[in-house]
Amino acid sequence: MTAAIRAPKRRAVPRPIRVLLVDDHTLVRSGIRALLETLPQIEVVGEASNGREALVLASRRRPNVVLMDVAMPEFDGIETLKRMRKVSPQTRVLMLSMHANDEYVRQTVRDGAGGYLLKDVAATELEAAVAAVARGEMYLSPALRARHASLGRAGAPRPLIELSRRQREVLRLIAEGRKTKEVAAALNVSVKTVETHRMQLMKRLDIHNVAGLVRYAIRCGLVTSEP
């Protein structure tokens, strides 16, 4: 009997990272778009000149990553970041700025940004930053990484930037006094997933009970006071 000939398996082609550009300077957007379009793993799905436009486009096109300036009219980057989580919860935001300002970095990280990139970065770093944020990792420009230890001493403990956005969301909800089922419902995930995130948080932060997580969240500024 002749053995059946099997067709070779096709390798799955990875989907490109869908990126939305947000900057109020047309030339800046054009330059970044031209650069990103040379990268095979990235697809630019739209441009916005202010935060209000960004929110509309994000709700329609569901980008994986929003690459967004901090200083803009019609909602600055910080305000847009806060609203983006409601409009497109699965989208991660990479802040882009010419300002290496500790307070900007601290505020955007607290509000859930996936990273903070300075505008003087090289093309290779921009690509690495977008890819890292799309994977759920935190990315900071090298100059900011070196300075982030001082941010920790100022009140935002360094390990906070090493947590994923989902881990920070779970931490914030726990610190607000939500029960496991309530956290699961708020994030639209299973109870088991929440329990896994909580265990990972405790392991990474070397904290061994919920009360400790609450105190940590307060020190980081994720919540203002204990529930």
Side-chain angles (χ1 to χ4, degrees):
M1 182 179 294
T2 303
I5 299 175
R6 295 183 180 181
K9 291 183 178 180
R10 294 182 179 180
R11 292 185 178 181
V13 178
R15 293 182 179 179
I17 301 169
R18 295 166 54 81
V19 176
L20 171 65
L21 297 178
V22 188
D23 195 295
D24 59 321
H25 295 97
T26 304
L27 286 177
V28 173
R29 290 201 314 274
S30 297
I32 296 174
R33 179 167 194 148
L35 176 60
L36 290 176
E37 287 180 340
T38 66
L39 306 174
Q41 67 168 324
I42 293 175
E43 176 189 2
V44 179
V45 297
E47 298 180 23
S49 61
N50 58 59
R52 192 181 298 276
E53 291 178 4
L55 293 170
V56 173
L57 283 175
S59 67
R60 293 175 179 172
R61 302 184 183 177
R62 303 296 181 184
N64 303 116
V65 176
V66 171
L67 185 59
M68 181 165 62
D69 191 13
V70 173
M72 297 184 299
E74 295 286 339
F75 303 153
D76 62 15
I78 294 175
E79 179 62 28
T80 306
L81 171 63
K82 294 176 182 178
R83 297 177 182 233
M84 187 68 68
R85 296 168 66 182
K86 296 180 180 179
V87 170
S88 184
Q90 302 306 314
T91 296
R92 304 207 73 218
V93 178
L94 174 58
M95 307 305 297
L96 185 66
S97 179
M98 60 184 294
H99 302 292
N101 182 290
D102 288 353
E103 185 54 38
Y104 281 160
V105 179
R106 181 185 298 116
Q107 184 66 50
T108 53
V109 168
R110 286 177 178 174
D111 289 338
Y116 195 104
L117 201 62
L118 299 178
K119 287 186 176 180
D120 62 356
V121 298
T124 53
E125 188 178 345
L126 175 60
E127 181 181 12
V130 171
V133 170
R135 291 193 300 267
E137 301 171 7
M138 173 65 66
Y139 193 98
L140 297 178
S141 283
L144 299 176
R145 293 176 211 155
R147 293 168 50 187
H148 221 71
S150 64
L151 286 180
R153 291 192 292 272
R158 186 176 182 183
L160 177 62
I161 69 168
E162 299 171 2
L163 302 179
S164 69
R165 181 182 66 172
R166 179 48 57 88
Q167 287 174 331
R168 292 196 300 274
E169 289 173 340
V170 171
L171 175 60
R172 176 177 57 80
L173 292 170
I174 289 174
E176 289 175 353
R178 307 282 190 97
K179 303 298 183 183
T180 302
K181 289 184 178 180
E182 294 173 332
V183 175
L187 299 179
N188 194 28
V189 298
S190 68
V191 169
K192 185 176 181 179
T193 297
V194 174
E195 292 172 343
T196 298
H197 281 308
R198 187 175 60 216
M199 288 189 294
Q200 291 173 342
L201 280 168
M202 290 181 175
K203 182 177 180 180
R204 175 162 291 189
L205 300 175
D206 194 25
I207 295 173
H208 307 292
N209 53 55
V210 172
L213 290 177
V214 172
R215 289 192 294 269
Y216 177 83
I218 293 171
R219 289 202 313 274
C220 291
L222 289 177
V223 294
T224 55
S225 61
E226 296 190 34

